[in-house]
């Protein structure tokens, strides 16, 4: 924590502060209102008006804290007054060496500070008007301007307060002189009466009369002196009146500044004459209640009737509580919705007000401000929805934890392994095995790490422009990557791509995986596109070797399976001719198993062809109605365990590979038969939606959990559960279906709820039949 700087004129500044007699005084509404307004404008939970003496920072007004002062050594404002001409802004105290170790930052979790020095006309910074927030942030230009205006208002009110104190002192002095003069007048009257008596009794005593005359002369001189003092007092009174006129002009200027601050904060003002029930709104207040600017408003028709029905009760109760001085002191602070009288638009507002009472504590006037908080309420509601969702997830997690209590130790071990893996990943990234890059959307300039240059075959000290990097991508992938980057820049979409590049110097081909997204700049900073690049050449080579192996094995298995299928069919025909039904049944089952094995091997072959780019899409225009009809005839002849219902299909022409689309439909229906109970219904439909053919297969099975739905179309993924243990499969059918539909520029997906069945669907673009 840095030492608090002292201004060169610290002694004179302390002396100037004492002339205002402000320290250790009671709270005053004018200063409290300005602190409240600063909090509202800057959208911070804490606002202070404070003054810095030789040992402390004392708070005249505070919003959002019960503290009344702090030590000068830990005060932010002690730093702020060192430069009286500038507002001091600390966007993140934890990152500022002056305040990172400050106990206030750590103890109250404070992050953001902005303070305007309170400077008098002699140039001394007496204190600050400041705001705090627990989140790192900054002020907009409009908020800074409004905060400076409020700072000048605080100083104007402080000067006015001192002038009023001087005026009250002068008036007290005049009253004392008046009392002294009145006392002398009474004394003079008594002396006169006594003199009359003495003159009657001692008419003949000239010496005594002379003595009395001398006393009277002395008294007359004293009266003359008092009159002169009174004259001077009257002159002083005139000077004070002149100063009061100037103060009124300053007050008018302060009111104009308040109006500017109100406009900057978009505050609406209201004023209710409680006695006569006359309501006055400014144009902003009318706008917040959906009332036209020229309309004359009333308390009942516009305020009461303009309240949302769900908020009317609490709002009117808050008004009633504000009228009770003993209960609230006249303070009013409530959030509610308005329903526009004219536009019927619903808005969330926050109203802050004060009720003024007469000497009998009867409400006379109700004034205050209204501000639109619709965006804040919307954000708050979203946060509450997120918390509710989190709570539901926590409850579900609690149930799961009860079911898996016996595996807690294993889970802890897995978590430890996960942490170790995360540390290893961090070490891998820190050792620069992952390349990083950054693009300025305005200039198109590419900034790359040394590891990225190495992947693209550049030396560390060489520049690698964006155009050069794109040209190192092989021809078949270059446009795909370029389009993804442009989409990210124009629409803010992220991307994750794999493609080969050719090294600049070494001419070596490497496979890379790159991810990128557009990051929006905050508080005026520029947007930028950034991401990472990982060398996946070895991974690609391993995948190629694996696919080659699977393809080779699948081809090798197909030959004996074909022969076996022929032998079984010959034996089956012979058994049927000999009417050997037990043998025929066994051979029929064996034939079905060979068919399943053939289907599985074909699936593996299709996966390898797909991933090697050798799968062929034979596009032709055909009618989906005919394809669905053929599928219906096939399944009606082979499936007797379920009620497969095909809805009628109108003519729907698509440009696609007819066999592969049929393969997708067959896969959907076969899965529905496998995963739904016998005798249950399976609904098959094909309709037209928004220029797309929409094909769906709906079953009455056990449904699919949301976490499994996200991965259903991944290669080799299978849902694990009691109801799937006895069902054979390798998780390639849906993966192949997804790849086929995507290569037809269509979409594929599933809608399901556990216990309520599933609907698998895909779409294809409709074309015009030639």
């Amino acid at each position: 924590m840095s030492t608090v700087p002292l201004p060169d004129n610290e002694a004179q500044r302390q002396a100037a502060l004492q002339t205002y007699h402000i320290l250790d005084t009671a709270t005053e509404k004018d200063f409290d209102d300005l602190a409240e307004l600063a909090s509202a404008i800057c959208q911070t939970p804490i606002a202070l008006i404070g003054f810095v003496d030789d040992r402390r920072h004392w708070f005249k007004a505070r919003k959002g804290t019960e503290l009344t002062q702090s030590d000068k050594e830990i005060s932010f404002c002690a730093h702020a007054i060192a430069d009286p001409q500038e507002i001091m802004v600390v966007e993140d105290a934890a990152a500022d060496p002056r305040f990172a170790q400050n106990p206030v930052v750590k103890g109250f979790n404070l992050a953001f500070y902005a303070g305007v020095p309170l400077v008098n006309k002699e140039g001394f910074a007496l204190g600050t008007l400041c705001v705090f927030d627990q989140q790192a942030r900054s002020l907009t230009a409009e908020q800074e301007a409004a905060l400076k205006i409020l700072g000048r208002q605080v100083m104007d009110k402080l000067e006015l307060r001192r002038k009023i104190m001087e005026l009250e002192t002068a008036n007290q002095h005049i009253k004392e002189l008046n009392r002294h003069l009145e006392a002398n007048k009474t004394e003079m009257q008594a002396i006169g009466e006594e003199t009359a008596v003495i003159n009657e009794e001692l008419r003949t005593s000239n010496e005594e009369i002379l003595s009395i005359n001398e006393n009277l002369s002395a008294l007359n001189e004293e009266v003359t002196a008092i009159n002169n003092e009174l004259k001077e007092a009257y002159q002083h009174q005139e000077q004070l009146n002149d100063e009061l006129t100037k103060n009124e002009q300053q007050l008018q200027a302060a009111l104009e500044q308040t109006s500017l601050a109100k406009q900057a904060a978009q505050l609406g003002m209201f004023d209710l004459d409680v006695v006569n029930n006359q309501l006055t709104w400014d144009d902003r207040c009318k706008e917040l209640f959906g009332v036209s600017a020229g309309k004359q408003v009333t308390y009942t028709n516009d305020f009461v009737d303009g309240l949302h029905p769900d908020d009317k009760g609490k709002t009117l109760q808050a008004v009633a509580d504000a009228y009770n001085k003993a209960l609230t002191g006249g303070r009013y602070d409530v959030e509610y919705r308005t329903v526009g009288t004219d536009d019927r638009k619903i808005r969330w507002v926050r109203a802050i007000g004060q009720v003024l009472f007469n000497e009998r504590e009867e409400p006379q006037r109700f004034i205050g401000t209204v501000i639109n908080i619709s965006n804040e309420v919307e954000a708050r509601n979203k946060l509450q929805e997120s918390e509710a969702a989190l709570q539901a997830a926590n409850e579900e997690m609690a149930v799961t934890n009860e079911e898996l209590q016996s595996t807690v130790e294993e889970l802890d071990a897995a978590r430890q392994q996960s942490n170790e893996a995360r540390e290893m990943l961090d070490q891998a990234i820190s050792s620069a095995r992952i390349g990083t890059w950054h693009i300025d959307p305005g200039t198109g300039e590419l900034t790359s790490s040394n590891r990225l240059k190495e992947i693209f075959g550049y030396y560390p000290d060489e520049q690698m422009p964006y155009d050069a990097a794109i040209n190192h991508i092989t021809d078949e992938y270059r446009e795909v990557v370029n389009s993804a980057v442009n989409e990210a820049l124009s629409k803010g979409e992220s991307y994750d791509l794999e493609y080969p590049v050719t090294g600049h110097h070494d001419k070596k081909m490497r496979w890379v995986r790159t991810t990128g997204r557009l990051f929006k700049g905050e508080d005026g900073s520029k947007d930028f596109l950034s991401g990472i690049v990982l060398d996946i050449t070895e991974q690609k080579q391993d995948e190629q070797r694996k696919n080659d192996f699977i393809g080779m094995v699948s081809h090798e298995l197909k030959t004996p399976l074909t022969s076996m299928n022929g032998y079984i069919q010959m034996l089956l025909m012979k058994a049927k001719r000999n009417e050997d039904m037990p043998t025929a049944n066994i051979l029929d089952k064996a034939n079905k198993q060979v068919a399943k094995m053939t289907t599985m091997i074909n699936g593996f072959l299709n996966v390898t062809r797909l991933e090697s780019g050798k799968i062929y899409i034979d596009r032709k225009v055909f009618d989906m109605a005919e394809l669905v009809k053929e599928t219906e005839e096939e399944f009606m002849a082979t499936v007797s365990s379920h009620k497969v219902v095909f809805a009628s299909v109108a003519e729907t022409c698509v440009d696609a590979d007819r066999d592969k689309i049929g393969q997708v439909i067959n896969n959907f229906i076969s899965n529905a038969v496998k995963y739904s109970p016998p005798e249950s219904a399976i609904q098959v439909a094909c309709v037209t939606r928004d220029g797309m053919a929409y094909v769906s297969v709906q079953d009455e099975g056990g449904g699919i959990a949301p976490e499994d739905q996200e991965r259903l179309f991944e290669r080799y993924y299978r849902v694990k559960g009691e109801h799937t243990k006895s069902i054979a499969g390798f998780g390639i059918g849906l993966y192949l279906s997804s790849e086929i539909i995507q290569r037809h520029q269509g979409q594929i997906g599933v809608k399901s709820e556990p216990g309520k069945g599933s609907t698998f669907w895909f779409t294809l673009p409709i074309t015009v039949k030639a």
Side-chain angles (χ1 to χ4, degrees):
M1 184 174 67
S2 63
T3 304
V4 175
L6 289 177
D8 295 335
N9 57 355
E10 178 61 11
Q12 295 88 334
R13 189 190 71 81
Q14 293 284 353
L17 176 60
Q18 297 301 324
T19 63
Y20 289 84
H21 303 286
I22 190 68
L23 297 175
D24 299 313
T25 58
T27 60
E28 295 179 38
K29 181 179 179 300
D30 288 344
F31 292 100
D32 289 343
D33 288 348
L34 289 173
E36 185 80 21
L37 186 57
S39 174
I41 290 174
C42 297
Q43 297 292 293
T44 60
I46 300 175
L48 302 172
I49 296 176
F51 301 93
V52 182
D53 62 12
D54 59 340
R55 59 185 177 82
R56 59 176 178 162
H57 179 207
W58 178 79
F59 310 148
K60 175 63 178 176
R62 60 189 187 275
K63 158 70 176 175
T65 180
E66 295 300 320
L67 297 177
T68 59
Q69 64 182 26
S70 66
D71 291 340
K72 184 177 180 180
E73 293 300 319
I74 64 174
S75 170
F76 281 59
C77 296
H79 291 264
I81 64 174
D83 189 356
Q85 304 305 320
E86 297 294 335
I87 181 173
M88 187 178 92
V89 177
V90 180
E91 295 184 353
D92 186 357
D96 192 318
R98 296 175 296 175
F99 306 108
Q101 302 302 320
N102 194 307
V104 174
V105 174
K106 296 183 176 181
F108 293 89
N109 196 26
L110 297 180
F112 170 75
Y113 167 86
V116 176
L118 302 177
V119 183
N120 67 0
K121 55 188 177 183
E122 286 79 26
F124 296 114
L126 309 178
T128 64
L129 165 63
C130 63
V131 294
F132 286 92
D133 201 342
Q134 294 174 331
Q135 300 292 330
R137 50 168 294 187
S138 61
L139 293 180
T140 64
E142 292 80 7
Q143 287 174 326
E144 281 195 15
L147 196 61
K148 291 179 180 179
I149 291 173
L150 290 178
R152 292 195 293 272
Q153 286 184 283
V154 172
M155 200 62 228
D156 289 341
K157 289 186 180 295
L158 192 63
E159 293 287 356
L160 180 60
R161 183 180 182 278
R162 182 170 69 171
K163 295 296 184 182
I164 291 174
M165 290 177 62
E166 291 176 355
L167 180 60
E168 289 176 351
T169 302
N171 286 336
Q172 188 65 30
H173 182 59
I174 292 172
K175 289 179 181 179
E176 291 292 330
L177 291 177
N178 287 336
R179 285 196 295 271
H180 186 51
L181 178 60
E182 188 65 29
N184 286 338
K185 286 181 180 179
T186 303
E187 183 179 353
M188 288 174 60
Q189 184 176 0
I191 292 173
E193 292 175 354
E194 183 178 355
T195 300
V197 174
I198 293 173
N199 285 335
E200 289 294 332
E201 295 178 353
L202 305 174
R203 191 177 295 276
T204 58
S205 180
N206 291 330
E207 291 181 359
E208 291 183 4
I209 291 174
L210 180 60
S211 177
I212 290 171
N213 287 336
E214 290 176 354
N215 289 336
L216 288 174
S217 177
L219 288 173
N220 286 333
E221 291 177 358
E222 185 176 353
V223 169
T224 300
I226 291 172
N227 286 333
N228 291 335
E229 290 183 6
L230 185 60
K231 182 177 179 182
E232 292 177 358
Y234 284 145
Q235 291 175 349
H236 188 206
Q237 177 70 48
E238 290 179 354
Q239 293 176 355
L240 292 177
N241 287 338
D242 292 340
E243 291 184 3
L244 183 59
T245 299
K246 294 179 180 179
N247 289 336
E248 289 176 349
Q249 294 173 350
Q250 293 176 353
L251 179 60
Q252 181 63 33
L255 290 175
E256 292 177 357
Q257 292 175 345
T258 301
S259 176
L260 292 175
K262 180 176 76 71
Q263 294 176 7
Q266 293 188 328
L267 293 175
M269 307 291 290
F270 65 85
D271 188 345
L272 175 63
D273 183 342
V274 180
V275 177
N276 298 312
N277 196 32
Q278 292 183 349
L279 178 64
T280 302
W281 283 346
D282 67 359
D283 289 345
R284 177 57 177 164
C285 192
K286 291 179 180 179
E287 179 183 347
L288 294 177
F289 276 81
V291 176
S292 57
K295 183 178 179 181
Q296 182 67 36
V297 297
T298 65
Y299 181 81
T300 301
N301 293 339
D302 297 289
F303 174 67
V304 176
D305 292 348
L307 297 173
H308 191 282
D310 293 342
D311 299 335
K312 183 175 295 185
K314 73 169 184 179
T315 305
L316 296 180
Q317 183 60 49
V319 173
D321 291 345
Y323 285 172
N324 187 340
K325 186 175 183 181
L327 179 64
T328 63
R331 294 291 293 169
Y332 171 77
D333 189 342
V334 65
E335 295 181 0
Y336 53 84
R337 286 167 288 181
T338 67
V339 182
T341 303
D342 295 338
D343 60 12
R344 307 309 299 170
K345 183 178 180 181
I346 296 177
R347 303 171 178 85
W348 270 99
V349 300
R350 179 186 180 189
I352 301 175
Q354 178 68 46
V355 178
L356 306 179
F357 301 88
N358 61 13
E359 63 277 1
R360 295 186 299 276
E361 297 190 353
E362 297 172 341
Q364 302 293 302
R365 188 179 177 191
F366 187 15
I367 60 175
T369 62
V370 181
I371 189 171
N372 191 334
I373 61 169
S374 298
N375 293 337
E376 297 176 16
V377 172
E378 182 181 358
R380 191 188 310 154
N381 290 339
K382 289 182 179 178
L383 178 59
Q384 291 173 351
E385 291 174 1
S386 299
E387 290 174 347
L390 180 60
Q391 179 64 27
N394 287 337
E395 293 174 358
E396 183 178 350
M397 184 62 73
V399 174
T400 305
N401 287 338
E402 292 177 1
E403 297 175 353
L404 301 177
Q405 187 64 36
S406 62
T407 61
V408 170
E409 294 182 359
E410 295 180 7
L411 183 60
D412 289 339
R415 186 180 297 110
Q416 179 63 31
Q417 292 176 357
S418 176
N419 291 336
E420 292 174 357
R422 187 179 296 108
E423 291 177 1
M424 293 174 63
L425 177 61
D426 292 339
Q427 292 174 0
I429 293 176
S430 65
S431 63
R433 301 314 301 163
I434 294 177
T436 60
W437 55 268
H438 173 106
I439 295 178
D440 185 334
T443 64
E445 180 181 357
L446 170 66
T447 303
S448 55
S449 67
N450 289 340
R451 173 56 180 160
L452 181 62
K453 293 178 182 179
E454 178 185 350
I455 292 173
F456 275 73
Y458 281 81
Y459 301 132
D461 57 348
E462 285 185 301
Q463 295 295 322
M464 184 174 71
Y466 173 76
D467 291 340
I470 287 292
N471 288 332
H472 287 298
I473 301 172
T474 57
D475 295 341
E476 64 269 28
Y477 287 93
R478 186 178 301 127
E479 186 57 34
V480 175
V481 177
N482 205 23
S483 297
V485 173
N486 291 333
E487 288 287 317
L489 289 171
S490 61
K491 300 180 180 179
E493 298 179 353
S494 59
Y495 64 86
D496 187 340
L497 298 174
E498 295 181 0
Y499 53 86
V501 298
T502 303
H504 179 60
H505 290 296
D506 58 15
K507 305 303 179 183
K508 182 179 179 181
M509 194 187 81
R510 301 174 178 87
W511 273 91
V512 299
R513 179 187 177 186
T514 180
T515 62
R517 58 169 291 201
L518 183 68
F519 293 86
K520 292 293 185 180
E522 297 181 356
D523 302 325
S525 60
K526 295 193 301 182
D527 299 347
F528 62 94
L529 184 67
S530 183
I532 63 172
V533 174
L534 180 64
D535 187 339
I536 60 170
T537 304
E538 291 186 6
Q539 175 187 336
K540 281 292 184 179
Q541 291 172 347
D542 290 340
E543 288 181 359
Q544 185 60 46
R545 285 191 288 267
K546 177 194 67 178
N547 290 335
D548 291 344
F549 175 75
I550 293 175
M552 178 189 68
V553 171
S554 298
H555 277 292
E556 293 297 325
L557 287 175
K558 282 191 71 176
T559 300
L561 273 177
T562 301
S563 299
M564 185 183 297
N565 186 48
Y567 295 148
I568 290 174
Q569 288 179 357
M570 291 175 59
L571 291 173
L572 180 60
M573 293 172 60
K574 183 176 181 181
K576 287 182 178 180
R577 282 198 304 269
N578 296 331
E579 297 182 355
D580 184 359
M581 298 314 297
T583 302
N585 289 335
I586 293 173
L587 290 172
D588 184 58
K589 291 179 180 179
N591 191 40
K592 290 180 180 179
Q593 294 301 318
V594 170
K596 288 183 179 179
M597 182 66 74
T598 302
T599 301
M600 181 184 69
I601 291 174
N602 287 335
F604 283 129
L605 283 173
N606 284 332
V607 169
T608 58
R609 290 168 184 163
L610 184 68
E611 295 186 347
S612 63
K614 296 178 180 178
I615 191 166
Y616 178 65
I617 302 296
D618 184 15
R619 289 181 179 269
K620 293 181 181 178
V621 176
F622 67 91
D623 187 357
M624 286 292 296
E626 296 177 358
L627 178 59
V628 173
K629 185 63 177 177
E630 292 176 7
T631 305
E632 178 181 3
E633 293 172 353
E634 176 183 346
F635 275 92
M636 286 302 180
T638 58
V639 176
S640 60
S641 60
H642 292 70
K643 300 174 183 177
V644 184
V645 180
F646 286 79
S648 60
V649 182
E651 182 181 84
T652 308
C653 293
V654 297
D655 184 11
D657 188 320
R658 195 176 192 276
D659 291 339
K660 290 184 173 57
I661 299 303
Q663 179 182 340
V664 174
I665 298 175
N666 286 339
N667 179 262
F668 280 6
I669 299 176
S670 298
N671 284 345
V673 172
K674 285 196 295 184
Y675 293 103
S676 61
E679 303 302 325
S680 62
I682 298 173
Q683 307 286 339
V684 182
C686 176
V687 296
T688 300
R689 293 183 181 177
D690 300 325
M692 303 289 284
Y694 179 87
V695 180
S696 63
V697 176
Q698 180 179 354
D699 63 47
E700 297 177 353
I704 304 168
E707 59 270 20
D708 289 319
Q709 293 180 34
E710 296 177 358
R711 302 187 60 192
L712 271 181
F713 298 98
E714 294 181 8
R715 183 180 57 181
Y716 306 135
Y717 183 79
R718 296 197 68 217
V719 176
K720 297 179 180 179
E722 292 296 329
H723 64 291
T724 62
K725 285 184 177 180
S726 60
I727 301 175
F730 288 89
I732 61 176
L734 289 178
Y735 167 69
L736 284 172
S737 297
S738 174
E739 292 295 328
I740 289 170
I741 296 302
Q742 289 180 20
R743 288 170 187 254
H744 284 82
Q745 290 74 49
Q747 293 183 331
I748 190 169
V750 61
K751 300 176 183 176
S752 181
E753 292 184 33
K756 296 184 179 181
S758 305
T759 300
F760 284 82
W761 59 268
F762 69 84
T763 63
L764 292 173
I766 292 176
T767 189
V768 179
K769 189 172 183 179

